[in-house]
Amino acid sequence: MLAKTTTSLDTHHDPNSTPEGTAKCYNDWSGTYDREIMTQLSCTGPRECADSLEKALDGSTRKEVRILDVAAGTGLVAERLVRKGFTNIDAVDGSQGMLDLAEKKQIYRRLICDFVGPNPLDIENDTYDAIACCAGFAAGHMKDDCLPELIRVVKPGGYIVLTFREEWLHQYEEYKDKLEPAMARLQDQGLWERVSREIFPNYYPGKDGITIVYKVL
Ligand SMILES: C[S@@+](CC[C@H](N)C(=O)[O-])C[C@H]1O[C@@H](n2cnc3c(N)ncnc32)[C@H](O)[C@@H]1O
């Protein structure tokens, strides 16, 4: 019989967690995060997110485009973007512990420790050509109330790439019948338009992932 691989994953998705509680969980997890996510769980999310962003930005000069990695964590998405030639990347995350590890990798220009929600981030309007956000949407993590703020900091014509576990759309009350309708309302308001919505297998083994790409108007 195969030994069960235990990870910190499920203890980090408390639907009732406060932002401070989530940040503390990730501060505590940060030291083993990369090993658990990439080696034990073979997570494909960061790669899928980086690949989708590369596709959206096709034709742009990679060293010039400004990217914000939202819920950046330890920088797994940015590591992949840097390998593709994107070098102008900032990070925002609510966990200082995760950002401290990201900083050591020297892949970000600016690291911002803040909660992404309806609160204004310390970022000017229309700053970025694109946002990458992998696993920022999960139980107890970001909610739909942050979407206008993400749109605010992206230039018109820029892209927002959201990758996460598909099952959260159905299993997490906060997203069920709420997250995608909120996205659609922002489209109805003329703030962005959906470019693609793709479900892919094995975000984690046996668990689908989803990547939704929007273009800011
Ligand atoms: C599963 S990790 C993903 C990290 C990275 N994007 C990756 O793919 O490995 C989720 C990250 O989201 C951050 N996070 C959760 N809710 C947040 C919020 N409301 N604002 C900012 N960061 C948040 C956590 O601190 C954590 O670093």
Side-chain angles (χ1 to χ4, degrees):
M1 200 172 99
L2 283 175
K4 186 176 183 301
T5 304
T6 54
T7 73
S8 310
L9 197 61
D10 291 320
T11 56
H12 290 81
H13 292 121
D14 172 3
N16 302 312
S17 182
T18 60
E20 292 76 13
T22 302
K24 183 181 179 320
C25 277
Y26 278 99
N27 286 340
D28 295 345
W29 190 11
S30 56
T32 56
Y33 178 85
D34 282 12
R35 182 162 46 81
E36 287 189 26
I37 289 293
M38 299 313 293
T39 309
Q40 291 184 20
L41 289 164
S42 307
C43 183
T44 59
R47 189 190 72 217
E48 292 280 348
C49 187
D51 286 353
S52 296
L53 188 133
E54 177 184 38
K55 191 171 157 198
L57 290 174
D58 186 35
S60 14
T61 308
R62 296 187 180 206
K63 286 197 181 334
E64 284 175 12
V65 291
R66 289 195 70 183
I67 298 169
L68 180 65
D69 187 355
V70 170
T74 60
L76 294 178
V77 175
E79 283 181 86
R80 282 149 186 83
L81 290 174
V82 166
R83 277 186 225 138
K84 292 175 186 293
F86 296 99
T87 51
N88 198 343
I89 313 172
D90 294 342
V92 60
D93 196 283
S95 159
Q96 187 61 55
M98 296 289 270
L99 287 178
D100 286 346
L101 288 169
E103 188 169 23
K104 289 193 184 131
K105 296 179 182 172
Q106 299 186 312
I107 45 180
Y108 294 113
R109 299 216 173 167
R110 182 177 177 213
L111 295 106
I112 305 164
C113 189
D114 203 350
F115 296 112
V116 181
N119 51 299
L121 296 167
D122 179 21
I123 298 171
E124 297 289 320
N125 291 350
D126 305 341
T127 297
Y128 294 101
D129 298 284
I131 279 178
C133 178
C134 179
F137 286 95
H141 289 45
M142 290 158 46
K143 302 193 176 83
D144 65 67
D145 61 4
C146 75
L147 296 173
E149 185 60 8
L150 300 189
I151 293 170
R152 181 186 72 76
V153 301
V154 173
K155 298 171 189 171
Y159 294 91
I160 298 181
V161 177
L162 308 172
T163 299
F164 50 98
R165 256 159 75 177
E166 197 269 345
E167 66 184 358
W168 292 128
L169 287 174
H170 319 287
Q171 288 185 2
Y172 181 33
E173 284 302 320
E174 194 66 45
Y175 296 168
K176 210 165 129 184
D177 306 322
K178 285 188 193 161
L179 181 59
E180 290 199 285
M183 292 177 179
R185 277 196 301 279
L186 293 168
Q187 176 154 321
D188 293 343
Q189 290 165 25
L191 296 176
W192 67 2
E193 72 182 13
R194 199 169 79 187
V195 175
S196 60
R197 178 189 190 278
E198 286 173 18
I199 294 174
F200 56 92
N202 296 323
Y203 180 100
Y204 297 128
K207 300 267 184 201
D208 287 349
I210 185 166
T211 295
I212 307 178
V213 180
Y214 275 92
K215 183 173 187 172
V216 173
L217 300 176

